[in-house]
Amino acid sequence: MDVGVQEIDFDAWATARVPALLRFAYLVTGSHDAADEAVQTALGQALEKWDRVRRTEDPDRYVRRMITHAHVTAWRRFGRRQSPVAEVRGARSVPDPATSVSEADVVWRVCLRLPRKQRAAVVLRFYEDLDDAEIAAVLDCSESTVRSQIHRALAALRAELERQEADDA
């Protein structure tokens, strides 16, 4: 028998969908905290109405709409009471997000100049968080080759970034 959406358990559905719902909520709210709050509110409402929600044509769309409504409601309720200030006394300064994006872009451009195996090893280690054995399996080489590739790649990245920093100074 084919298991349809109507038979999906709320916990199983929510567990599978929370990461995507949080990404959606972040794009809607522009804040991780507001996104968490909106998703939590929407999931609470969806749980209460799950029999109706799961019978809709697209439960994801229904819950995304609930997230949007939860954010708008929170904004209407609390947004008008917030008054932004130029500086909060005693608070540490928050770095400009554009700086981190720019730095990440520079690092990625330098990574693109690495030989393919070195770049793959670095991406698998630091982006995918794989260990030497897993990387070796993906790249079809020995673990010592993986360590060597990563060592050479990091040395090349470090040298190029130091050179660029010296040129900018």
Side-chain angles (χ1 to χ4, degrees), residues 59-75:
D60 286 11
R61 183 175 6 160
Y62 193 95
V63 174
R64 284 193 301 269
R65 189 172 42 230
M66 292 171 88
I67 289 169
T68 304
H69 287 293
H71 173 61
V72 169
T73 300
W75 178 82

Side-chain angles (χ1 to χ4, degrees), residues 25-43:
Y26 176 75
L27 294 173
V28 168
T29 65
S31 160
H32 290 291
D33 293 333
D36 288 341
E37 187 68 31
V39 169
Q40 191 69 28
T41 300
L43 288 177

